[in-house]
Each structure stands twice: as structure tokens, then as C-alpha cells.
Amino acid sequence: MHDDRELVENRLKRVLDERIRPAVYPASVPLDVAVWHAPGEPVPVAEGLASAPSPIAVGDAWGAPWGTSWFTVTGTVPADWVGRTVEAILDLGFDENMPGFQCEGLVYRPDGSPVKGLNPRNQWVRVGAPVQGGEEVRLHIEAASNPVILDYHPFLPTRLGDKETAGSEPQYRLARMDLAIFDETVWQLVIDLEVLGELMAELPVDGARRWELLRAVERALDAIDLQDVNGTAAAARAELAGVLATPATPSAHRISAVGHAHIDSAWLWPLRETVRKVARTTSNMTALLEDEPDFVFAMSQAQQWAWIKEHRPEVWARVVKAVAEGRFVPTGGMWVESDTNMPGSEAMARQFVHGKRFFLDEFGVENEEVWLPDTFGFAAGLPQIIKAAGSKRLLTQKISWSQINKFPHHTFLWEGVDGTRIFTHFPPVDTYNCSMKGSEIAHAARNFKDKGVARHSLAPTGWGDGGGGTTREMIAKAARLRDLEGSATVVWETPAEFFAKAEAEYPAPPVWVGELYLELHRATLTSQAKTKQGNRRSESLLREAELWAATAAVRTGSDYPHERLDRIWKTVLLHQFHDILPGSSIAWVHREAEKTYAAVAAELNEIIDGAQRALAGNPGSGELVFNAAPHTRHGVPAGGAAAVPAPALAAGLRTRGEGGYVLDDGLLRVEVDGRGLVVSAYDLRAERETVAPGQAANLLQIHPDFPNMWDAWDVDQFYRNTVTDLVDADEVAPGEEPGSVRVVRSFGASRITQILIVEAGRLDIRTEVDWHETEKFLKLAFPLDVHADRYASESQYGHAFRATHTNTSWEAAKFEACNHKFVHVEEPDWGVALVTDSTYGHDLTRTVRTSDSGTTTTLRVSLLRAPRFPDPETDQGLHRFRHALVPGATIGDAVREGWFLNLPERRVPGDAEVAPLVTVDDDAVVVTAVKLADDGSGDVVVRFHESRGGRARARVSTGFAATGAAVTDLLERPLADTAAPELTDGSVAVALRPFELVTLRFSR
Ligand SMILES: [Zn+2]
């Protein structure tokens, strides 16, 4: 037979585009449209409905950036449409090529009840089926003119990302606003032909099935009268029924479709707009669930649920009803889909505490699936936290974005830093916006790495971010793919139903040990430094506030600020969302974040101050030092306060013969040369040099930094090819603080001032940068005379190791990585730590010197970047950082010094020494939280972990009359399978595995 395949395929495309799709709506009449533009921020629904709108015509421009326009559309169903299905087509000026990221609307009835959202690929509102004819139609649309930030030419700097700079130019032109007859038979024919045409394109050309589909499509096209599509669509469908009815092969891949809308809690829009995006999408989804009996929709991020409850009670009522029916499914169990690299131990835990508790409180639902499709890599501390929260499964597709290495599994056990293993699935469809296209379904089946031993995968299905979620077209396609020869099968299921099947079919999945590193978006560890500092400092202040408020409540009976702490935690957790903390949002978001963090700090300091003053006794007679760190400091016990005088600053400062200064405290002798660089850091106890011979530490280096795309997210490896060492100093002189050296440098339009000071055997470096660069990367380098194959970076409840070399592509890809409070590298018996108060990004490289064949391990912390998208002014202005170099540090020293730097002592007038609520007699066991139980019982909750990667036996002792003790999960619920520890004289004995996390709850 002659090969006419392309001819038929091209015919299908043209007839679908030009004849069949237009016939879905064979007749229409225009609606009358009027509009009222709200003057500023969004207004309540009642105010929008009560506004006095002015006429506007199709084709007119509307919508200043970030504005809200209330459209009123009115019309009458033509009398001769009786018996037909009629829909309003409401096109605000959408670009169908970008489902999301542009204008959107929510349609209301005149009584204020929501109907559904309007989105680029979801522009219809059903008016009646069938209609009587003559019905009056009146609908209101709350339309948001959110500007397009990520355009066809992506990543171009734009001022549209902040209302303060966006101007007032209308962004959209009103398009079609009609009442139209909806021909369901033609619509079904479109779906038939799309499904078969898309499947056909994925099948092998030499396979019989492809040709069967081709011939069936040809017969269907022959059956259509192009001048009467509506009259002949049924006949065309009849030609396709046979090929649509043949079942899938028994070995077909099986896809669990989960209705989904990945809505970033802020990104290219401010937080307040997400509240409305969620309302629009959930309105769509609750409406769709009523129309489609097989459909299941899952939504994560408790914060987004809480927003609907608070701001859109009428939508919330519909959500609650759909949840009760089991088809609108809470998933994820976290407060937001957060970053997981940067959040500290306790914050990561609280993401689960507050997320899971919300779903338990509202619906009695305990989520066991962690839903993080879009998070930029997963720290090795996460598995233990997931388990401690009572969850057991993880889903993400993001690792498929890695640039270099292809991950070897789609379903596997992920083992974290302490050995906890979590059943993990990467949807092989490689998207969280599946639309049931044939190419996506075929890709999932082909791409699935675990073929032969497993056959189930999950497909998150629906447009996110203002695309409106799942569409009726996706559901219609899924119905045809349920059991269709040549395709993977598709069934709507909840995430839990999918995981149950996946676990059952794959009892011994492969294991991946250690972090799930995303080989992309590495610059999110540095961009928007103020947001990152806000996070770190908020985490530290929350620890202090809980500790001192709990201590004051137990010791003095003062009120524990449950409500305030709950609210502040949720604020901090929200800002750990995977486009806020990573610094990848528009200027508006980061401007607001800075203000929010300042308010958080003010309120937490007020709580801390109040608690400390309540504890400190008579303010007139002395001064107390409060130590919130988990280790004794300057004689003050961890979690206590004592009247210990500050240690005298021992460091001496003298001039250096060759120029510069020598700082020496008897433990560490640091030489700063005439350029302000640290050419020696001599550990006097170990009699050992820290700085590599002939090199200089505290070296500021600047690189051009213009990635190929994703400016705020990415730093591409080639950035290292060009570097400028900032070695010219404007000033190197003794600083104001006794024993300190001040170094000032100017470069470009920027200026850096550093204060160097030696104290307690460590070199403290306080860096102030007045940053006015564009597309540059600023690093602070420490070339160390250390030979080691691996180094440690602090993560949640422990630390993870990475290679110092680049033997494999996997190691080479980790050229920028995350640390919490420290990075540590060591030889047997001697190591060095760098601790930081707020930076997260670092790199570490290894060279061999020609002079003495020794190894130089160069650790560099990342200070600042200056990308221009999405915030064209990223990081401009004044920044302050603190780092400390700790020569001779063990990993235990690194842990302790990290806490000390992040939790400075506080001095409070008073004379009543404060004994800690809880003490632990082994420094390897680090207490991360002391608080009162969230249930208001007054119980004291203590969370701690083994911090060095070894075993620990410790006594945890209470400084109050404890009447009982229980081991609990993160939600402070006693563990059913763990015996209550024996309480002897107010203390319990614990034995911990490496990095093991334990929560104890003491009753009083
Ligand atoms: Zn996202």
C-alpha cells in the first residue's frame, strides 16, 4: 500500500483547527459588558458587586498592572435556542499559550456566590442545559490584571514585578464576551480526534496499531460534511468507536492521574494574589467535581486551605463538602511546599507540625504523603523529619530538571542522614502540569525507570499558577485513556491510593542514600540575601522566644504566648515557600518579606524581653547573661542565665613586620597583611597552620554571573572561568573595637568594610557590603591547608558529607551547595570549621600545590549576587554578614560554634540566676527546642538529636517537677510503639543512634 500517512495526519490537523473546533460553538450572540475598576488593592466581593460599572466594548483595553476590574455581563438567551446547551464564553484577553501567569477572573452570581474561575484555557460558564430560551443572564467577574512577567522572550528584566514601579498602562484587551450554543457532540469528536491523533504520533510507524488509528481517523474525516460539521459529527464519531474500544495490552504502564494545580504561594505575583488564585482554582475544581463523577482533585499546602477558609468562606463551604465526599483531597501535610535545603531543623519540623495539624483539625485527615513536586532539591535530613511527623511517602518530579545526570529510579527508598528510609516516587511524566496529552502519557511510560518490576506512576494533572487546575478536556481525554490499546492506562486516584499500589507491587525498591541534589537552581542558596537573613534570624528568635517563654511560664507562672507563637511560626513557614526563601520571586514579594521579617523580629524580641525580665528578678542590682544556645557558654548553662561577667577580650593586636597586623588570643594567632588578607591563622594549641602556604584567606572574589536562563535561580558552571580577587584595600587599620582590624575595599560601585577579631580561638569576620553591582557573584574564600576526600555541611538534625573532588559527573555537578550554620573539613585529629550567621551557599574545591605537593582545600562562602530577573534590583544596598573561622575544630566544635554565632548572649538587668528547664549531660546531644506543648496542657516539650554522627548516651534532666515523660512524634503525640521512658528524679536516660531525633514530652 502506498504511504499516505503524513497526508492524513496533516489533514487531521487542518480540519480540526479550521472546521471542527470552531463548530463546538456554532452560534453566538454578544453580551453587554460593563466594568468598574477598583481604585487600589482588591475589594471585598460585596463592594465589587455593588459598584456602578461603566460600559466597555470588546476590543477595549483594560487593566492596569496588578489592578482589579469588576465586569458585569448581561444578556438574554435567544428564544430559538430552546432545548440547546448554552454557555457564556468570557475571554478577558487571554493568551492560550500561557495557561497561568496572566490575567484571571472569578465569576460570581448576583447573590455573591462563586461560579467558577476564568483562565486562559477555561473560559466557559454553563448557562443552561437545556435552555428554555429567553432566560436573562447576569454574571459578575472579579478580574485581576496581573501582568505577564515571564514572557515569550523569558528572563528579560521588567519593572512590572512591583506595584510601585509597574506604571498604569492597561495590560489586556477584552476579547470575546458571548452567549453561545455548545454542541457537545462536536466537542466529544474533538476529544476523540485529539486523543487518537496524539496517541498515533507516539506509536511506532511500523506497528499495525498506528495504521489502524490512521485509517479510522481518515474514515471519520470522510464522514464529516465540512459545511455541516454539527450535523455530521455523530457519524464521524461512529467511525472512531471501534479503535477507541480496543483495550490496553496487559503490560501497559498504569498512570494514576491526580487532579492538581501547582499554585506557587508567591512567585511572579505577591502573596495577596495567591489568595485569589487559590479561590479561583478551587472554585473551578469544586464545580468540576460536581460535573465529573470519576474525578479526584488533590491540594497541598495547608496555608492555601487556610487562606480560602479565612478570605473566601463561600468557596470554603464548597471545598468542605467536596472533602467530605472524599474527592477533594488534602495532601502533602506541610504548611507550604517549602524549600528543603535552607529551612533549619526546627522550621522543617514545624512545616509538618502546622501542615498536618491543620488537616487533622479541619477534616480529621492524617496525610502520609509529602507532596513537593517543585522544590529545588532535598536535604538528607528530610527523611527522618517526614517519619517523625508520622508521614511515610514523598513525591517530587523536580529532580528530572537536573542538567547533568539522569536519576536512575522513579520509585525507590530514599535514605536520609540518620538511616531513615522513605518510599519515594518521581512521576516519570516529568511535569506537575500534565494535561493528558498523548506525548506526556507516552513519555511517562517510556521514561519510567522501574519497568519490569513496577508499572504504576502518578501524573499530577492540571494547570497551576492561575491556569485554573484540571479542565473538562483533560478529564474527557483521561476517560478515553482508561483502557486503550497502545497507550498507558489512566485512572483518577488519590495520592494515597497510588502509593498503596506502588508499594504493594514493589516490595524491595532500590535505595538512594543521601541528599537529592538538584543540578539546577543552585543560586537560590544566595539570591535575595535579606530574605535569607530574615529566615535565619527568625528561626533563631523563635527558638529563643519559645525557650524563655516556656521557662518563664514554668518558673513564674506567666502566660505562654501560644497564639502569638503559632501565628509567627506560620508566617515564617510561609516565607520558606520554594520561591520566597530561594529568592526567585518578584521585587514586590521580597520587599514585603523584608518588612514582615522586621515585624516578626520586633514581636519575638518583645516576647523574649518580657520573659527574660520576668525571670531576671530585681532589675536594679546586677546584670544577667542569658544563654539560649544548646551548650554552656562562658560558664552560663545552656538554656539558663547567670551573673557571669563577660570574659575579657584576650586577643592582643600588634603591628606585623612586613605590614599589617597580628591578632593573637593565646589560642589562635592570625596575621593580616597590608592588603587586609589573612595570610596565616596559626592554631597555637595544635601548632599547625590553617591557611595554605603562599595563599590568603578572607579573600573576597567577584565573578561575572549571567546564567543562560533562570537568572535568580541559576549560576552556571562557567562563572568560575573569570574571577577578580579584591586585594586592593582603601584602608587596613585597627578597628574601634579593641583588638580588631578594620579593612575597607572599594570596587565597581560598591564598598566592603570588614572587621576582623580573634576571640576564644576563632577568627570572627564581620562583613558589611554596600552592594551596587549587576550580574556579579561575590564570594569569600578560605584556602585551607587540609587534605580530605569529603567535607561536612550542616543540614537538618545533622550534617551531610560531599566530596572535595569531582571524580564523577554527580560530584562535579555539586559545584554550589547548601550549609546551615557550618561547613567543616578535617584530617584525622585536626579540622577547621567555617560558621555563618546567615549565608547558605558555598563551594569547595581541591588543588595540589607545586611548591610542597600539599593539598589546598578552598572553601568559599557565597555572599551576594545581582541577577536582574525577576527582580531587576536584586540585592542592591547594604548587607551585613558574620562568619567565623575556627581552626582546630572537631565536628562537635563546629556544631557548638554555629549555635553560638546564631544565638548571641543577651544581657538583662536582674539578680535571679535562671536554672535551665532542661539539661542534657552529653554535648553531642543538641537540644533544638524547648517549649510548652501546643495543646495548652502546660506540658514541657523538648526536642534533641545526636549531632556528631555517633552514638550518645545521655541523661535529660528537668529543672521542674516532672510527673511523667513520653516519647512523641513532632506533633507531640505519644508514639504508640515506643515505651514511655522511665522518669527518675526528674530525669530520663536516653541512648541515641547517629543523628537520631527524639521528642520528649514532660507532664507537670
Ligand atoms: Zn513551584
Side-chain angles (χ1 to χ4, degrees):
M1 193 169 172
H2 297 296
D3 183 351
D4 64 345
R5 181 175 56 80
E6 282 187 32
L7 202 63
V8 178
E9 288 171 2
N10 291 338
R11 179 185 178 198
L12 170 63
K13 182 177 185 320
R14 182 170 189 196
V15 174
L16 252 182
D17 284 349
E18 297 183 20
R19 292 292 187 273
I20 306 178
R21 286 197 189 97
V24 170
Y25 292 105
S28 62
V29 294
L31 287 156
D32 291 322
V33 191
V35 67
W36 173 70
H37 303 294
E41 284 292 277
V43 297
V45 175
E47 194 178 331
L49 294 179
S51 63
S54 310
I56 182 172
V58 163
D60 286 356
W62 70 279
W66 307 112
T68 300
S69 299
W70 282 84
F71 291 94
T72 304
V73 296
T74 49
T76 307
V77 175
D80 58 352
W81 289 4
V82 60
R84 307 300 300 267
T85 297
V86 173
E87 295 185 344
I89 305 171
L90 306 172
D91 183 348
L92 298 170
F94 294 120
D95 180 343
E96 285 197 33
N97 292 320
M98 286 186 287
F101 317 121
Q102 52 180 299
C103 63
E104 287 176 71
L106 180 51
V107 181
Y108 295 89
R109 298 179 191 90
D111 66 1
S113 59
V115 182
K116 65 188 283 289
L118 291 179
N119 308 90
R121 299 196 189 183
N122 201 335
Q123 305 176 9
W124 57 274
V125 174
R126 184 64 60 92
V127 167
V131 293
Q132 306 291 315
E135 289 99 330
E136 295 296 322
V137 176
R138 183 182 183 87
L139 296 168
H140 300 268
I141 307 164
E142 180 192 18
S145 45
N146 303 331
V148 174
I149 306 286
L150 195 59
D151 215 330
Y152 284 97
H153 185 157
F155 316 121
L156 287 181
T158 170
R159 300 271 159 194
L160 288 168
D162 193 335
K163 199 174 176 182
E164 292 185 351
T165 57
S168 56
E169 193 67 29
Q171 300 291 299
Y172 298 98
R173 278 188 189 279
L174 200 60
R176 190 175 182 186
M177 303 294 262
D178 286 349
L179 282 179
I181 292 174
F182 175 74
D183 187 330
E184 168 134 15
T185 306
V186 176
W187 182 83
Q188 296 284 6
L189 175 62
V190 169
I191 304 291
D192 289 347
L193 288 169
E194 285 181 352
V195 166
L196 294 173
E198 289 164 8
L199 171 60
M200 197 163 68
E202 299 299 325
L203 293 172
V205 175
D206 54 2
R209 177 65 169 165
R210 178 154 185 161
W211 293 91
E212 281 180 10
L213 297 185
L214 191 83
R215 296 276 82 94
V217 165
E218 184 174 46
R219 289 195 303 276
L221 296 176
D222 290 342
I224 288 175
D225 177 347
L226 295 176
Q227 274 63 54
D228 185 16
V229 172
N230 301 85
T232 52
R237 293 199 71 203
E239 296 295 338
L240 301 173
V243 291
L244 282 166
T246 54
T249 52
S251 63
H253 185 66
R254 298 182 182 181
I255 292 175
S256 301
V258 176
H260 187 53
H262 177 76
I263 301 181
D264 291 300
S265 289
W267 180 27
L268 303 177
W269 50 87
L271 283 166
R272 66 92 161 144
E273 192 55 32
T274 318
V275 175
R276 302 202 296 174
K277 282 181 183 284
V278 172
R280 292 176 204 121
T281 294
T282 49
S283 297
N284 268 347
M285 294 302 93
T286 49
L288 194 63
L289 283 164
E290 286 179 10
D291 295 345
E292 303 284 352
D294 293 335
F295 178 51
V296 172
F297 183 76
M299 190 164 108
S300 69
Q301 311 204 64
Q303 169 71 84
Q304 297 190 355
W305 293 69
W307 276 334
I308 313 174
K309 185 180 181 190
E310 183 182 347
H311 296 285
R312 286 291 194 276
E314 64 287 348
V315 180
W316 179 246
R318 283 166 46 163
V319 169
V320 169
K321 178 170 171 285
V323 171
E325 290 161 2
R327 298 173 56 214
F328 194 117
V329 183
T331 193
M334 292 172 68
W335 187 248
V336 295
E337 290 180 16
S338 73
D339 184 81
T340 77
N341 283 314
M342 292 176 277
S345 305
E346 273 305 302
M348 201 71 247
R350 306 300 172 97
Q351 286 286 355
F352 289 89
V353 170
H354 289 282
K356 292 195 74 159
R357 186 173 290 144
F358 180 88
F359 295 122
L360 280 163
D361 288 351
E362 295 295 336
F363 305 112
V365 171
E366 172 117 31
N367 291 321
E368 296 187 316
E369 294 75 36
V370 181
W371 183 273
L372 292 171
D374 193 29
T375 290
F376 309 156
F378 302 85
L382 193 58
Q384 175 167 223
I385 295 169
I386 292 172
K387 186 181 175 200
S391 294
K392 60 182 187 185
R393 299 152 168 171
L394 169 68
L395 177 136
T396 182
Q397 65 81 47
K398 196 67 177 184
I399 301 300
S400 72
W401 288 41
S402 279
Q403 277 176 317
I404 314 295
N405 296 289
K406 185 99 176 131
F407 200 80
H409 320 296
H410 281 105
T411 301
F412 61 101
L413 296 177
W414 178 32
E415 181 177 314
V417 70
D418 71 311
T420 299
R421 292 180 171 183
I422 295 294
F423 192 89
T424 300
H425 179 65
F426 291 178
V429 71
D430 285 350
T431 177
Y432 45 76
N433 290 322
C434 177
S435 63
M436 286 292 137
K437 271 176 75 170
S439 54
E440 294 170 331
I441 301 303
H443 175 75
R446 277 198 292 264
N447 187 38
F448 188 56
K449 294 278 190 193
D450 302 82
K451 286 190 276 279
V453 279
R455 66 167 50 147
H456 286 89
S457 74
L458 186 149
T461 302
W463 302 121
D465 284 341
T470 317
T471 64
R472 62 183 178 187
E473 287 78 14
M474 295 176 199
I475 291 174
K477 286 181 151 187
R480 287 156 177 80
L481 297 171
R482 173 176 278 274
D483 192 11
L484 180 63
E485 185 188 350
S487 172
T489 67
V490 175
V491 58
W492 293 103
E493 284 185 315
T494 66
E497 286 167 339
F498 159 75
F499 272 105
K501 285 183 181 173
E503 284 174 341
E505 74 175 354
Y506 209 6
V511 178
W512 179 269
V513 176
E515 70 181 320
L516 299 171
Y517 181 92
L518 178 63
E519 296 168 356
L520 196 75
H521 294 0
R522 301 166 181 90
T524 57
L525 303 172
T526 307
S527 298
Q528 299 285 3
K530 284 194 163 61
T531 300
K532 289 171 168 65
Q533 293 188 325
N535 176 67
R536 179 76 71 84
R537 287 165 190 170
S538 300
E539 289 180 357
S540 298
L541 289 169
L542 275 161
R543 172 198 172 87
E544 286 193 82
E546 287 185 342
L547 170 67
W548 301 126
T551 308
V554 172
R555 294 267 184 269
T556 73
S558 59
D559 283 341
Y560 186 80
H562 282 287
E563 181 279 327
R564 297 173 82 186
L565 289 170
D566 182 80
R567 173 170 46 76
I568 295 169
W569 261 118
K570 286 172 177 167
T571 299
V572 173
L573 297 177
L574 167 60
H575 287 77
Q576 292 176 341
F577 175 73
H578 66 255
D579 283 307
I580 304 179
L581 179 54
S584 45
S585 282
I586 53 173
W588 190 344
V589 174
H590 293 287
R591 175 169 57 79
E592 284 192 338
E594 197 179 330
K595 276 191 194 157
T596 301
Y597 282 129
V600 161
E603 189 168 4
L604 288 172
N605 276 314
E606 187 189 309
I607 292 171
I608 293 164
D609 191 58
Q612 289 181 332
R613 283 176 192 281
L615 288 162
N618 182 1
S621 55
E623 191 173 55
L624 292 170
V625 173
F626 279 76
N627 175 22
H631 301 93
T632 299
R633 168 164 49 183
H634 299 147
V636 184
V644 177
L649 203 58
L653 177 69
R654 59 178 190 269
T655 54
R656 180 170 170 267
E658 311 93 299
Y661 297 90
V662 177
L663 302 92
D664 187 339
D665 71 345
L667 301 171
L668 176 66
R669 187 181 66 224
V670 168
E671 294 186 38
V672 180
D673 72 2
R675 303 170 298 170
L677 302 177
V678 172
V679 292
S680 171
Y682 193 76
D683 180 348
L684 292 161
R685 284 168 296 186
E687 300 184 339
R688 159 148 194 173
E689 178 56 52
T690 308
V691 179
Q695 302 193 48
N698 188 40
L699 174 66
L700 290 152
Q701 295 184 301
I702 197 155
H703 298 268
D705 181 12
F706 186 54
N708 289 346
M709 50 183 188
W710 297 110
D711 297 45
W713 295 254
D714 282 2
V715 55
D716 287 331
Q717 195 159 13
F718 52 74
Y719 90 95
R720 283 189 187 161
N721 298 355
T722 313
V723 62
T724 304
D725 292 348
L726 302 180
V727 294
D728 295 330
D730 303 346
E731 179 190 327
V732 180
E736 274 179 30
E737 197 169 333
S740 69
V741 172
R742 181 168 183 266
V743 182
V744 182
R745 302 180 197 283
S746 305
F747 61 96
S750 304
R751 182 181 160 93
I752 299 183
T753 305
Q754 289 187 303
I755 303 294
L756 307 182
I757 192 159
V758 169
E759 187 185 8
R762 58 164 201 266
L763 170 62
D764 236 51
I765 302 170
R766 297 164 203 173
T767 305
E768 184 181 287
V769 188
D770 192 14
W771 183 245
H772 299 282
E773 303 304 311
T774 297
E775 290 156 356
K776 298 280 196 303
F777 199 1
L778 181 65
K779 291 259 184 181
L780 182 62
F782 298 86
L784 307 170
D785 189 11
V786 175
H787 176 81
D789 287 343
R790 64 177 194 174
Y791 73 99
S793 308
E794 191 182 38
S795 176
Q796 293 98 6
Y797 300 113
H799 53 267
F801 293 103
R802 297 187 184 95
T804 61
H805 54 74
T806 53
N807 283 0
T808 70
S809 57
W810 295 85
E811 288 148 354
K814 295 182 182 181
F815 61 81
E816 183 79 11
C818 184
N819 59 270
H820 287 180
K821 299 187 291 297
F822 71 79
V823 179
H824 180 261
V825 60
E826 66 181 352
E827 295 172 4
D829 305 326
W830 194 85
V832 55
L834 192 86
V835 298
T836 156
D837 76 333
S838 59
T839 59
Y840 293 93
H842 69 267
D843 72 276
L844 192 139
T845 51
R846 163 190 178 121
T847 52
V848 173
R849 303 183 290 269
T850 50
S851 58
D852 64 350
S853 301
T855 303
T856 300
T857 298
T858 302
L859 167 62
R860 303 194 306 165
V861 291
S862 308
L863 298 185
L864 288 166
R865 297 182 70 232
R868 299 191 64 217
F869 183 89
D871 175 2
E873 301 287 334
T874 304
D875 283 333
Q876 301 300 304
L878 199 64
H879 302 271
R880 291 191 181 87
F881 308 96
R882 274 189 76 175
H883 295 87
L885 183 72
V886 194
T890 61
I891 203 94
D893 296 332
V895 172
R896 188 190 62 237
E897 294 297 327
W899 281 107
F900 284 172
L901 193 69
N902 282 267
L903 290 168
E905 294 167 331
R906 286 177 189 259
R907 285 157 186 275
V908 179
D911 58 3
E913 293 207 347
V914 180
L917 273 194
V918 178
T919 54
V920 182
D921 65 358
D922 181 344
D923 270 357
V925 177
V926 167
V927 173
T928 53
V930 176
K931 61 192 283 296
L932 292 197
D934 290 343
D935 62 6
S937 62
D939 289 359
V940 174
V941 172
V942 185
R943 188 144 42 241
F944 51 87
H945 70 290
E946 196 291 318
S947 66
R948 299 177 185 172
R951 308 269 160 171
R953 287 185 172 277
R955 284 208 80 80
V956 179
S957 304
T958 58
F960 55 91
T963 57
V967 180
T968 74
D969 65 5
L970 296 179
L971 279 78
E972 304 169 3
R973 301 174 296 190
L975 293 178
D977 56 353
T978 305
E982 195 179 327
L983 186 68
T984 311
D985 294 337
S987 76
V988 298
V990 292
L992 300 182
R993 287 181 282 103
F995 301 123
E996 185 179 358
L997 154 69
V998 175
T999 307
L1000 286 181
R1001 177 178 179 136
F1002 292 101
S1003 46
R1004 294 191 284 140

